[in-house]
Amino acid sequence: MTKPLLQIALDSTDLASAVTIANSVESFVDVIEVGTILAFAEGMSAVSTLRKRHPNHILVCDMKTTDGGAILARMAFEAGSNWITVSAAAHIATIEACKKVADEFGGEIQIELYGNWTLADAQKWVDLGIKQAIYHRSRDAELAGVNWTPDDLSRMRALSELGLEMSITGGIVPEDIHLFQGIRAKTFIAGRALASASGRATAEALKAEINKYW
Amino acid sequence: MTKPLLQIALDSTDLASAVTIANSVESFVDVIEVGTILAFAEGMSAVSTLRKRHPNHILVCDMKTTDGGAILARMAFEAGSNWITVSAAAHIATIEACKKVADEFGGEIQIELYGNWTLADAQKWVDLGIKQAIYHRSRDAELAGVNWTPDDLSRMRALSELGLEMSITGGIVPEDIHLFQGIRAKTFIAGRALASASGRATAEALKAEINKYW
């Protein structure tokens, strides 16, 4: 199992703030994410700007694509994304359309696990050649105090066993990392925890925990 | 039952094209939609530009909000949206967060019906005070040749009976309008059909059909 990567989610409402944060974390993160908030605030110029400034990082555009897959995917890959996110609620034809464009660019699709998705849905994604999915506590669920549950963990394990690499997000702290051992974890995603003044120390603590379990 | 409105979906990948289309249709549409593609291409400046140019139209930002509800909703309402869309796959806490911001601005939330939503989910939206939902053939399903089915129509009727006003979209043509009679229809949404050279004639044909059934 490959070692999980660290991903920063840039969810600023303006590009200047996102650029500042990306500069401050680039030496200790592997993946830079243009969050949905930033993408809707500034459009694809957020992706192209970060692509230019960080040519060697994996860049993901978190569009949570739900429809219009071919056009949205092309916009994001043309702007320089390596990965884009697609909602688990999207029609399978939308997911297939995104995958086709991703293949053209040598990119990847990550399924964002929101809504009442089932393992039968997940099998369809795997059958299309999708390799990644993102599991998270919703930001709003997190704000409402809903924690990682045994059900979360068993669903992640089931997806991992189908062959999907999981990106895991939602208030990730070093003390949580051990919960995910045995899961095919692609990235751990954090935002404020990595962007703060203690971001480098948090990244080191996360990596130390990752090294224990992968 | 109030008479359904006509809505243009602006799904250009650049604002200049969207502005041109909006100018050409403003006299015969009631609602102008900044589509997901346009919003991701150009950011919230697409919303603020169209708000300035069309101060008397209802303006909707089709974000298909799936998480981060409070921030995304505030961005869209501050830029001048009257309505925003929220994914049926969003956590109920996200939908509640969007509703709270909408109330602050005198705006409304429209639930975008994607994924494996249930009538029990719909009842929760109604309980939160949500008044609108959007039912459509996915653009990609439409491209794949999937048509309006008896199942589509009975699901729309069930939602209408829960009290939700439905916006209906996905290759809408005048000949389809009669299918939706008896449903609490808020808007019929079209894109290319209204933006083309024959857009005014199509709008008139749609309105004539609407007047027959509502």
Side-chain angles (χ1 to χ4, degrees):
Chain A
M1 218 178 280
T2 56
K3 218 173 263 296
L5 305 172
L6 276 193
Q7 175 170 332
I8 177 102
L10 298 172
D11 266 320
S12 320
T13 56
D14 68 287
L15 183 51
S17 305
V19 161
T20 303
I21 294 168
N23 279 350
S24 73
V25 302
E26 64 164 359
S27 64
F28 56 82
V29 304
D30 311 291
V31 183
I32 295 174
E33 170 195 328
V34 174
T36 314
I37 289 168
L38 177 60
F40 268 133
E42 298 275 9
M44 284 304 101
S45 71
V47 176
S48 54
T49 299
L50 287 157
R51 174 75 297 161
K52 271 181 216 134
R53 299 181 66 93
H54 305 283
N56 301 318
H57 280 71
I58 295 170
L59 187 62
V60 51
C61 185
D62 183 20
M63 307 183 108
K64 300 184 174 73
T65 309
T66 307
D67 205 350
I71 297 174
L72 284 172
R74 186 167 300 280
M75 272 168 43
F77 286 119
E78 280 181 349
S81 299
N82 301 103
W83 302 342
I84 68 161
T85 70
V86 179
S87 174
H91 191 281
I92 193 72
T94 298
I95 297 175
E96 190 170 13
C98 291
K99 175 69 168 66
K100 206 170 152 188
V101 177
D103 288 345
E104 193 184 316
F105 284 85
E108 288 199 22
I109 298 303
Q110 301 179 295
I111 303 292
E112 283 260 17
L113 298 165
Y114 283 97
N116 307 329
W117 56 274
T118 65
L119 284 176
D121 294 329
Q123 186 60 58
K124 285 183 198 161
W125 309 328
V126 170
D127 292 345
L128 279 181
I130 303 291
K131 292 188 184 132
Q132 297 193 54
I134 303 178
Y135 197 103
H136 38 116
R137 292 193 286 169
S138 136
R139 172 194 281 258
D140 297 305
E142 189 192 332
L143 291 175
V146 181
N147 263 309
W148 296 109
T149 63
D151 184 51
D152 284 326
L153 295 164
S154 74
R155 303 220 294 170
M156 271 185 251
R157 287 213 177 81
L159 292 165
S160 175
E161 280 160 20
L162 281 183
L164 289 166
E165 297 171 306
M166 307 300 301
S167 285
I168 302 170
T169 183
I172 290 282
V173 290
E175 297 69 33
D176 283 345
I177 297 294
H178 74 97
L179 294 172
F180 310 108
Q181 62 185 290
I183 292 169
R184 217 184 285 265
K186 181 76 172 186
T187 75
F188 288 104
I189 310 172
R192 284 150 293 182
L194 294 174
S196 70
S198 56
R200 181 179 298 272
T202 300
E204 281 166 9
L206 287 166
K207 283 179 185 168
E209 287 297 298
I210 287 169
N211 287 334
K212 278 190 208 167
Y213 301 107
W214 281 270
Chain B
M1 220 177 279
T2 56
K3 218 174 262 299
L5 305 173
L6 276 193
Q7 175 170 332
I8 177 104
L10 299 172
D11 267 318
S12 320
T13 56
D14 68 285
L15 183 52
S17 306
V19 161
T20 303
I21 295 168
N23 279 350
S24 73
V25 302
E26 65 164 0
S27 64
F28 56 81
V29 304
D30 310 291
V31 182
I32 295 173
E33 171 195 328
V34 174
T36 314
I37 289 168
L38 177 61
F40 268 133
E42 298 275 10
M44 284 304 101
S45 70
V47 176
S48 53
T49 299
L50 287 157
R51 174 76 296 161
K52 270 183 216 135
R53 300 180 66 94
H54 306 283
N56 300 318
H57 280 72
I58 295 171
L59 186 63
V60 51
C61 184
D62 184 20
M63 309 183 108
K64 300 183 175 71
T65 310
T66 307
D67 205 350
I71 296 174
L72 284 172
R74 185 167 301 280
M75 272 169 43
F77 286 119
E78 280 181 350
S81 299
N82 300 104
W83 302 342
I84 67 162
T85 70
V86 179
S87 174
H91 191 281
I92 193 73
T94 298
I95 297 175
E96 189 169 16
C98 291
K99 177 68 167 66
K100 207 170 152 188
V101 178
D103 288 346
E104 192 183 316
F105 284 85
E108 287 197 24
I109 298 303
Q110 300 179 295
I111 303 293
E112 282 261 18
L113 297 165
Y114 282 97
N116 308 328
W117 56 273
T118 65
L119 284 176
D121 294 329
Q123 185 61 56
K124 284 184 199 161
W125 309 329
V126 170
D127 292 345
L128 277 181
I130 303 290
K131 292 187 185 136
Q132 297 193 54
I134 303 178
Y135 196 101
H136 40 114
R137 292 192 287 169
S138 134
R139 172 195 280 257
D140 297 304
E142 189 192 330
L143 291 175
V146 181
N147 263 309
W148 296 109
T149 63
D151 184 51
D152 283 326
L153 295 164
S154 74
R155 302 220 295 171
M156 271 185 251
R157 286 213 176 82
L159 292 165
S160 175
E161 280 159 20
L162 281 183
L164 289 166
E165 297 171 306
M166 307 301 300
S167 285
I168 302 170
T169 183
I172 290 284
V173 289
E175 297 69 35
D176 283 346
I177 296 294
H178 74 96
L179 294 171
F180 311 108
Q181 61 185 288
I183 292 169
R184 217 183 284 265
K186 182 74 172 188
T187 75
F188 288 104
I189 309 173
R192 285 151 294 183
L194 293 174
S196 70
S198 56
R200 181 180 297 274
T202 301
E204 281 166 9
L206 286 166
K207 283 179 185 168
E209 287 298 297
I210 287 169
N211 286 334
K212 278 190 208 166
Y213 300 107
W214 281 270

